Structure formats: C-alpha cells, structure tokens
C-alpha cells in the first residue's frame, strides 16, 4: 500500500501543476480547454482520495486511463 500512496501523491502533484496552469489567466490555452483541465483535475483529486481510502484496481485503472489519454494528447501536439 505504501507504493500506491507514493504513486498517488506523485500523480496528485502532477495534476496540481496542470490545474494551476489551467487557472493561470495568462496561459494561452482557450478558456474552455482550461476549464476542462480544471474539472478533470478535481475529479482526479477526488478519485485519488477514494483510492487511498479504499484501493481497488478499477479506481486505479480510471486514473491510469486519464493520464494515458492526457499523455497521448500532449504527444500529438508535440509531433
């Protein structure tokens, strides 16, 4: 469970950066995209808490899928 806790903490830090940037009025992303990132971040924070309270593979898989989709979207923008 300690590894899961450390992983969840790291993921939460990552999403804290995403949400902070989404809240930055000077960031060039369109407002609707920033709103979506902020909403998704709030979901991630809630799900992280749920995982730490009651760890199940399904709850973890949801976070993994979100992160993979975000990473895939970012990779498309880089190419």
């Amino acid at each position: 469970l300690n590894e899961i806790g450390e992983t969840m903490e790291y993921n939460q830090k990552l999403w804290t950066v995403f949400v902070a940037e989404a809240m930055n009025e000077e960031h060039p992303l369109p407002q609707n995209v920033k709103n979506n990132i902020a909403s998704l971040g709030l979901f991630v924070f809630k799900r992280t808490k749920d995982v730490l309270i009651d760890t199940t593979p399904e709850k973890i898989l949801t976070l993994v899928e979100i992160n993979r989709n975000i990473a895939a979207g970012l990779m498309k923008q880089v190419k």
Side-chain angles (χ1 to χ4, degrees), residues 20-66:
E21 282 301 310
M23 294 174 63
N24 180 353
E25 291 182 17
E26 295 179 15
H27 197 285
L29 282 174
Q31 190 61 48
N32 66 323
V33 174
K34 293 194 293 186
N35 291 347
N36 289 340
I37 291 170
S39 294
L40 192 54
L42 292 175
F43 174 82
V44 168
F45 297 149
K46 182 182 181 312
R47 180 54 62 111
T48 298
K49 181 180 171 185
D50 291 344
V51 167
L52 294 173
I53 291 170
D54 179 33
T55 305
T56 66
E58 296 80 18
K59 290 178 184 176
I60 294 171
L61 184 58
T62 299
L63 292 173
V64 170
E65 289 175 358
I66 290 170

